[in-house]
């Protein structure tokens, strides 16, 4: 008879276990490739990232993340261990906002799930690694703007991202993107309803901080 897996323990005086992150994306290739690339970059560091499958709609995405969070302690696939942080990566979309976005945010808040939002879309976070973005953008216009940039291999048709090319030799691009994202948030008093706006840097900084502390 097979033995049931034991939950990870963080006993005092022993080497700390990896801080565990569960990240659910809406299923678009760009987010998936970015976080899988980041996971590869952090492969020897104290962080575990799981990528959720295709959902395409914020409320169903949040519900799936909540269910995953709740079953982790009983799931062999999750090593019978709860996650320290659960995040959903969600696009606001423009010119028309996702109709279930506000409900999804409320549902996530109630369940202790955090949301990394981008208005209009995740490609804003990618483009901020390359240049400043300050004017209003529709999702389509921003994706086209990213395609015109070199150094990330992005195409609108396939929504492909070459993470290795995009990242560059060090974390300098990430530092620039974080500064630009913070600048966008600081100039708005309406949160994610502002366009352009993103807080994806907050999630990425947590992942990188886990590396430093491990």
């Amino acid at each position: 008879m097979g033995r049931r897996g034991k939950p990870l323990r963080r006993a005092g005086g022993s080497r700390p276990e990896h801080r565990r992150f569960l990240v659910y994306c809406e299923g678009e290739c760009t987010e998936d490739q970015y976080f899988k690339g980041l996971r590869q970059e952090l492969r020897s560091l104290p962080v575990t990232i799981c990528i959720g499958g295709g959902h395409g709609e914020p409320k169903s995405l949040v519900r799936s993340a909540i269910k995953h969070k709740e079953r982790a302690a009983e799931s062999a696939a999750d090593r019978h261990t709860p996650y320290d942080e659960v995040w959903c990566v969600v696009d606001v979309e423009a010119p028309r906002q996702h109709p279930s976005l506000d409900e999804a945010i409320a549902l996530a808040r109630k369940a202790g799930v955090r949301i990394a939002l981008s208005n209009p879309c995740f490609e804003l976070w990618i483009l901020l690694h390359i240049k400043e973005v300050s004017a209003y953008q529709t999702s389509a216009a921003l994706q086209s703007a990213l395609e015109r940039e070199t150094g990330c291999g992005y195409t609108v048709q396939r929504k492909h991202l070459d993470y290795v090319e995009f990242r560059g030799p060090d974390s300098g691009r990430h530092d620039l993107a974080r500064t630009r994202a913070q600048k966008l948030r600081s100039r708005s008093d309406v949160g994610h309803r502002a366009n352009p706006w993103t807080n994806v840097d907050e999630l990425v900084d947590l992942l990188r901080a886990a590396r430093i502390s491990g």
Side-chain angles (χ1 to χ4, degrees), residues 36-95:
K36 283 180 178 176
L38 183 61
R39 179 173 60 190
Q40 178 67 16
E41 181 186 339
L42 304 179
R43 63 189 178 276
S44 62
L45 305 168
V47 56
T48 299
I49 307 170
C50 297
I51 306 297
H55 295 276
E57 184 274 315
K59 194 172 179 180
S60 65
L61 183 77
V62 170
R63 282 175 172 162
S64 294
I66 292 171
K67 289 178 181 178
H68 196 154
K69 175 185 177 184
E70 291 173 345
R71 71 173 180 263
E74 303 299 325
S75 169
D78 297 298
R79 297 188 288 174
H80 302 283
T81 306
Y83 287 92
D84 299 290
E85 297 263 1
V86 180
W87 285 74
C88 289
V89 181
V90 175
D91 293 345
V92 174
E93 298 294 0

Side-chain angles (χ1 to χ4, degrees), residues 29 78 103 117 134 139 145 148 159 163 166 172 179 204 209 211:
C29 295
D78 297 298
E103 290 180 78
L117 281 162
S134 58
S139 301
R148 291 193 294 271
K159 295 192 174 178
Y163 184 85
F166 156 76
T179 299
V204 177
R211 171 184 62 180

